[in-house]
């Protein structure tokens, strides 16, 4: 998606630890016009798949998923990060290792909002090693729902999560795939 790649080149800042900050359009301030285009692009790529629900994880996936759900005309649900050890049996639960904070946390989704009749598209802001998406896929499986595919706005291709999903036969679409980046160097895209 050219519009997105141009924006990453203009505003993206690379930090140590292979972290890309895009706080002025995706992760802190949100460019809603760009987000609308992003939602419509995911719709173009997955239309005809009878998607019934868009799913993501809080917090930074929410805006991406909301605009995607709007383009599809379906509801959006997000998994919540839970600190409670006393988990009710009314929720699906998965464990996710955070890329940015390095610790493992529980994510939950109420059983009320996902069922075996759902056809789910999962989206998130970033894809690095794939832990967040794997946690969400786990929840889709627990619900007996059908996974249509997964999508990321920005994939850091050199961290392997996207290629692993594709190798596992999951239809994964990233709107920009970064092949390499360095704190004081260029950001290079895969294509
Ligand atoms: P993964 O679980 O695929 O290893 O990492 C994806 C999650 O970590 C995303 O939900 C995203 O919030 C966060 N993340 C991973 N890499 C980056 C990055 O370079 N920049 C930002 N802003 N978030 C990232």
């Amino acid at each position: 998606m050219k519009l997105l790649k141009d924006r990453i080149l203009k505003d993206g800042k690379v930090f140590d630890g292979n972290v890309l900050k895009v706080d002025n359009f995706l992760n802190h301030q949100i460019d809603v016009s760009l987000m609308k285009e992003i939602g419509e692009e995911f719709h173009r790529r997955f239309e005809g798949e009878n998607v019934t629900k868009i799913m993501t994880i809080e917090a930074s996936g929410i805006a991406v998923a909301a605009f995607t759900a709007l383009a599809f005309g379906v509801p959006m649900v997000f998994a919540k990060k839970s600190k409670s050890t006393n988990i009710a049996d009314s929720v699906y639960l998965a464990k996710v290792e955070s890329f940015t904070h390095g610790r493992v946390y529980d994510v939950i989704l109420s059983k009320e909002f996902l069922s075996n009749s759902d056809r789910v598209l999962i989206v998130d802001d970033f894809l690095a090693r794939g832990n967040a998406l794997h946690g969400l896929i786990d929840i889709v499986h627990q619900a007996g729902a059908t996974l249509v595919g997964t999508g990321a706005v920005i994939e850091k291709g050199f961290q392997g999560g996207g290629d692993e999903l594709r190798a596992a036969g999951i239809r994964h679409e990233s709107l920009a795939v970064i092949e390499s980046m360095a704190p004081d160097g260029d950001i290079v895209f895969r294509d």
Side-chain angles (χ1 to χ4, degrees):
M1 189 179 174
K2 187 173 182 317
L3 191 65
L4 173 65
K5 289 180 185 168
D6 289 347
R7 191 64 183 269
I8 294 169
L9 292 177
K10 179 170 167 278
D11 290 328
K13 292 188 177 64
V14 181
F15 285 77
D16 287 338
N18 284 323
V19 172
L20 176 67
K21 287 236 175 201
V22 284
D23 277 1
N24 85 337
F25 67 92
L26 188 61
N27 290 135
H28 198 12
Q29 172 171 264
I30 290 177
D31 181 336
V32 292
S33 305
L34 177 63
M35 211 54 92
K36 182 167 175 281
E37 299 278 344
I38 284 170
E40 287 166 0
E41 182 64 27
F42 279 130
H43 180 244
R44 257 191 298 279
R45 294 186 188 206
F46 287 98
E47 69 181 329
E49 296 280 356
N50 298 319
V51 170
T52 65
K53 207 153 274 187
I54 308 298
M55 184 175 166
T56 192
I57 184 169
E58 69 176 354
S60 46
I62 291 177
V64 178
F67 280 90
T68 304
L70 187 65
F72 277 88
V74 300
M76 178 282 255
V77 285
F78 63 94
K80 295 186 172 196
K81 294 170 183 168
S82 166
K83 286 196 181 71
S84 168
T85 50
N86 183 14
I87 297 299
D89 55 7
S90 59
V91 297
Y92 304 113
L93 172 105
K95 293 204 179 292
V96 172
E97 185 180 337
S98 161
F99 178 86
T100 35
H101 302 108
R103 60 187 164 81
V104 176
Y105 53 91
D106 291 337
V107 296
I108 58 167
L109 184 79
S110 171
K111 289 184 179 172
E112 207 182 326
F113 302 125
L114 199 61
S115 76
N116 60 8
S117 60
D118 276 314
R119 293 179 56 80
V120 184
L121 171 62
I122 298 172
V123 296
D124 201 4
D125 59 339
F126 270 89
L127 170 58
R129 297 190 187 116
N131 293 321
L133 290 183
H134 279 293
L136 296 174
I137 291 168
D138 184 2
I139 288 175
V140 170
H141 289 155
Q142 288 177 45
T146 303
L147 179 69
V148 168
T150 55
V153 177
I154 302 173
E155 173 181 342
K156 291 180 290 178
F158 56 91
Q159 289 175 324
D163 292 334
E164 200 183 296
L165 288 169
R166 294 179 188 100
I170 290 168
R171 176 155 177 222
H172 176 80
E173 298 274 347
S174 290
L175 305 189
V177 183
I178 294 175
E179 199 54 68
S180 66
M181 62 184 205
D184 48 6
D186 292 337
I187 295 173
V188 179
F189 295 105
R190 190 171 280 186
D191 46 40

